[in-house]
Amino acid sequence: MRRRRDAERGSMSLETAVVAPALLALLALIIIGGRVALAHQAVESAAAEAARSASIARTQGEAGAQAEASAWAALDNEGLHCSSRSVAVDTSGFAAPAGTPASVSATVTCVVNLAGLQVPGVGPQTITKTMTSALDTYRER
C-alpha cells in the first residue's frame, strides 16, 4: 500500500501545472469577450443617440453638428476610450418635402485598443454601428 501513495505523490502538482495555463487563457478570453461586447454596446448606443439628435434638429447643418456632439457625449458617458473615432451622418432626408416619410442615419466608428490586456495577438478592434431615426413626416424641413 505504501508504494501506491508514493507513485501518486506528485500527480496533483503536475495536474495543476498542466491545467492552470489553460484556465488562465480561458479567463483572458472571457475578459476580452466582455470588453468587446461592452464596446459594441457603447458604440451602438452612441449611434442611436446621434441619429435621434439629428432627427430632432431643425436644419440639415444643425443635424450633423448635434449628432456628432451627442455621439461624443454618449461615448464619454459610457467610459469608452477610443484611440480613433468618427461620426458620419446622412441627412439627405431633410431634402424630402414635408408629408413624405424620411429618416436620418448616423454611423459611429470607434477603434478600441485592447492591447492593454497583455494577451498576445490582441490589438486594436474597429467597431462600427449605424442607426436610423425617422424624421417627423409633417414637420417643415
Side-chain angles (χ1 to χ4, degrees):
M1 243 203 234
R2 185 138 177 112
R3 285 186 165 181
R4 189 169 199 205
R5 263 198 227 159
D6 290 339
E8 293 180 10
R9 210 172 160 161
S11 66
M12 185 104 141
S13 298
L14 182 61
E15 289 172 5
T16 302
V18 169
V19 172
L23 289 176
L24 289 175
L26 180 62
L27 179 64
L29 286 175
I30 290 170
I31 291 170
I32 291 169
R35 286 194 53 190
V36 168
L38 287 174
H40 276 273
Q41 184 272 329
V43 172
E44 185 171 359
S45 175
E49 186 63 34
R52 177 71 182 133
S53 292
S55 72
I56 59 176
R58 299 308 294 166
T59 65
Q60 196 169 6
E62 189 180 305
Q66 285 183 1
E68 190 170 331
S70 63
W72 297 159
L75 287 175
D76 291 340
N77 287 340
E78 292 286 337
L80 185 63
H81 303 290
C82 303
S83 58
S84 171
R85 60 188 186 177
S86 66
V87 175
V89 183
D90 177 13
T91 57
S92 60
F94 277 91
T100 305
S103 62
V104 295
S105 64
T107 301
V108 177
T109 301
C110 174
V111 178
V112 180
N113 191 4
L114 298 174
L117 296 176
Q118 303 300 326
V119 177
V122 176
Q125 174 120 13
T126 302
I127 300 171
T128 302
K129 298 290 182 180
T130 301
M131 297 298 280
T132 302
S133 185
L135 291 171
D136 185 6
T137 305
Y138 296 104
R139 182 180 79 180
E140 181 183 332
R141 296 183 191 141

